[in-house]
């Protein structure tokens, strides 16, 4: 999505302040928060492929709304559509992939497959972000935006092409089959949320997931931080492309990171937070390098959290429990966005992001130290 490189700048060029942009991101996260678990429960009852298709349609509609209604309310509406799309995707995609691998007799491949898929995604994202610079030079934000809408439609067509896969769990773990209904949905919510609350290993994974996402969520402010440091729109697009390339390399290693526990995992998260704080505080090439390495380490830990979770949970309501993880992540994201939005009423975004990264690094490191490792196959 080329638009990812410049959408914060698009908002700013249409008169929105850093605080207003923070409010938009907070509403985005809050709406995802409200929709996350309900949508995950439906993914345990309905055709997951159809939910992924619906997610793609809403994804394209959200960005089209930004382009046709470029105002605070238009941007807000687009974020709500994006939230609904993300909620339908979250939990559904992970459960779909795990069930397909389980049906093939290869559940242990989930970690490597998920990590490599994330790396390919990041590589494609890097190219798209780098493309934002020449697209912006040729046709401004409009060309960047409509190209992104086209990419979202291709994403939807790929969802249409997915095979239909039935949930695959052990017979003694499978719930009694019943048709999709409000009662069945409530049961799925209860099962998934109950496991998240009662299982100590799952709780520890969720806590680590929620704290590290506050570091990952700083990427929404990277364009503004870089702009404050004097980078142009074109240079920012190239920098973000480079950051995404390093992210791809790091997420490729996420399956290995998922097998780490204790001090090694804690060191990765601590280094991520400290580098992100330094990158936000500095300017110029040292800033770019620190942000890139810090973000790569944070995303590797974040992706490894999902791998740990899929192997830790029982699988009775896989999509719902995964959506609970998404809910916890949204809490971490919301807290970070809220603090940045309030602080930028008086201070620039770069020093605010630096302080927030330092503050979040402490609980994130402690949670990483306590997180169980994924099994070694």
């Amino acid at each position: 999505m080329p638009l990812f490189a410049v959408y914060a700048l698009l908002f700013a060029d249409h008169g929105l302040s850093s605080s207003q942009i923070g409010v938009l991101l907070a509403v985005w996260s809050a709406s995802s928060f409200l929709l996350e678990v309900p949508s995950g429960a439906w993914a345990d009852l309905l055709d997951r492929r159809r939910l992924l298709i619906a997610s793609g349609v809403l994804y394209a509609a959200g960005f089209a709304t930004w382009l046709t209604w470029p105002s605070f309310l238009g941007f807000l509406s687009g974020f709500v559509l994006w939230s609904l799309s993300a909620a339908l995707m979250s939990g559904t995609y992970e459960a779909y992939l795990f069930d397909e691998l389980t049906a093939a007799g290869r559940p242990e491949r989930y970690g490597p497959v998920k990590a490599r898929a994330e790396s390919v995604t990041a590589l494609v994202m890097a190219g798209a972000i780098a493309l934002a610079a020449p697209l912006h030079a040729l046709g401004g934000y409009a060309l960047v935006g409509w190209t992104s809408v086209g990419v979202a439609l291709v994403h939807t067509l790929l969802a249409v092409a997915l095979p239909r896969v039935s949930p695959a769990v052990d017979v003694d773990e499978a719930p009694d089959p019943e048709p999709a209904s409000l009662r069945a949905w409530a049961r799925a919510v209860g099962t998934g949320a109950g496991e998240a609350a009662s299982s100590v290993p799952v709780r520890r994974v969720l806590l680590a997931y929620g704290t590290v996402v506050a570091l990952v969520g700083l990427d929404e402010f990277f364009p503004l931080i870089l702009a404050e440091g004097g980078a142009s729109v074109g240079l920012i697009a190239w920098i973000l492309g480079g950051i995404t390339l390093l992210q791809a390399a790091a997420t490729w290693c996420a399956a290995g990171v998922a097998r780490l526990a204790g001090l090694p995992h804690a060191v990765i998260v601590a280094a991520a937070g400290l580098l992100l704080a330094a990158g936000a505080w500095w300017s110029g090439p040292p800033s770019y390098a620190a942000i890139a390495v810090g973000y790569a380490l944070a995303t590797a830990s974040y992706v490894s959290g999902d791998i740990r979770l899929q192997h830790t949970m029982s699988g009775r309501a896989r999509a719902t429990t995964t959506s609970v993880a998404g809910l916890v992540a949204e809490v971490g994201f919301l807290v970070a966005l809220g603090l940045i939005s309030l602080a930028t009423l008086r201070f620039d975004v770069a020093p605010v992001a630096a302080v927030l990264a330092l503050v979040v690094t402490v609980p994130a490191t402690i949670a990483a130290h306590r997180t169980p490792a994924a099994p070694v196959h």
Side-chain angles (χ1 to χ4, degrees):
M1 302 294 288
L3 191 57
F4 286 176
V6 297
Y7 72 73
L9 304 175
L10 168 68
F11 300 161
D13 282 2
H14 280 84
L16 273 63
S17 66
S18 296
S19 293
Q20 287 178 307
I21 294 172
V23 169
L24 288 177
L25 295 173
V27 170
W28 176 33
S29 184
S31 53
S32 296
F33 178 91
L34 295 173
L35 295 166
E36 183 71 51
V37 174
S39 64
W42 282 120
D44 281 321
L45 300 170
L46 302 177
D47 184 342
R48 289 172 180 162
R49 173 178 166 274
R50 291 183 180 180
L51 290 177
L52 293 174
I53 293 169
S55 171
V57 172
L58 291 167
Y59 195 50
F63 299 127
T65 301
W66 285 356
L67 299 171
T68 56
W69 189 9
S71 64
F72 182 83
L73 289 179
F75 297 141
L76 184 67
S77 300
F79 268 126
V80 172
L81 289 172
W82 189 356
S83 294
L84 181 55
S85 168
L88 290 176
M89 172 77 73
S90 177
T92 308
Y93 163 67
E94 291 83 359
Y96 180 98
L97 175 59
F98 195 93
D99 281 344
E100 178 158 357
L101 290 169
T102 301
R106 302 293 302 277
E108 75 281 358
R109 295 296 301 160
Y110 178 85
V113 170
K114 177 68 185 298
R116 291 168 188 174
E118 292 287 345
S119 291
V120 172
T121 299
L123 285 172
V124 175
M125 180 69 73
I129 287 175
L131 190 61
L135 286 175
H136 184 270
L138 287 173
Y141 292 116
L143 184 57
V144 176
W146 288 114
T147 300
S148 299
V149 171
V151 172
L153 292 175
V154 172
H155 161 88
T156 305
L157 293 175
L158 290 173
V160 172
L162 289 172
R164 291 177 173 82
V165 178
S166 299
V169 295
D170 293 339
V171 174
D172 61 351
E173 289 183 346
D176 295 333
E178 60 179 306
S181 64
L182 186 60
R183 179 170 173 265
W185 171 82
R187 179 177 296 183
V189 170
T191 301
E195 180 173 15
S198 61
S199 170
V200 173
V202 171
R203 283 206 311 269
R204 288 182 175 178
V205 172
L206 293 179
L207 182 59
Y209 207 63
T211 49
V212 79
V213 79
L215 294 175
V216 175
L218 291 174
D219 68 339
E220 300 299 334
F221 294 94
F222 286 171
L224 299 177
I225 291 170
L226 295 170
E228 282 188 2
S232 65
V233 172
L235 179 57
I236 289 172
W238 286 110
I239 293 169
L240 293 179
I243 290 172
T244 309
L245 281 175
L246 195 57
Q247 175 193 354
T251 52
W252 186 272
C253 303
V257 174
R259 294 192 290 269
L260 299 178
L263 184 60
H265 187 210
V267 168
I268 289 174
V269 174
L274 293 174
L275 284 169
L276 285 170
W281 189 264
W282 297 337
S283 62
S287 168
Y288 313 155
I291 289 175
V293 177
Y295 185 67
L297 293 174
T299 52
S301 177
Y302 178 67
V303 173
S304 78
D306 171 68
I307 297 170
R308 298 169 199 268
L309 180 65
Q310 297 300 325
H311 287 287
T312 302
M313 70 175 78
S314 68
R316 294 186 180 90
R318 183 170 300 279
T320 307
T321 307
T322 305
S323 287
V324 171
L327 183 69
V328 172
E330 290 298 338
V331 172
F333 190 41
L334 261 177
V335 170
L337 290 177
L339 291 173
I340 289 177
S341 296
L342 289 174
T344 51
L345 290 173
R346 294 193 59 183
F347 304 101
D348 291 337
V349 67
V352 168
V355 172
L356 178 65
L358 288 175
V359 171
V360 170
T361 296
V362 176
T365 301
I366 294 172
H369 190 272
R370 294 168 54 83
T371 306
V376 178
H377 296 281

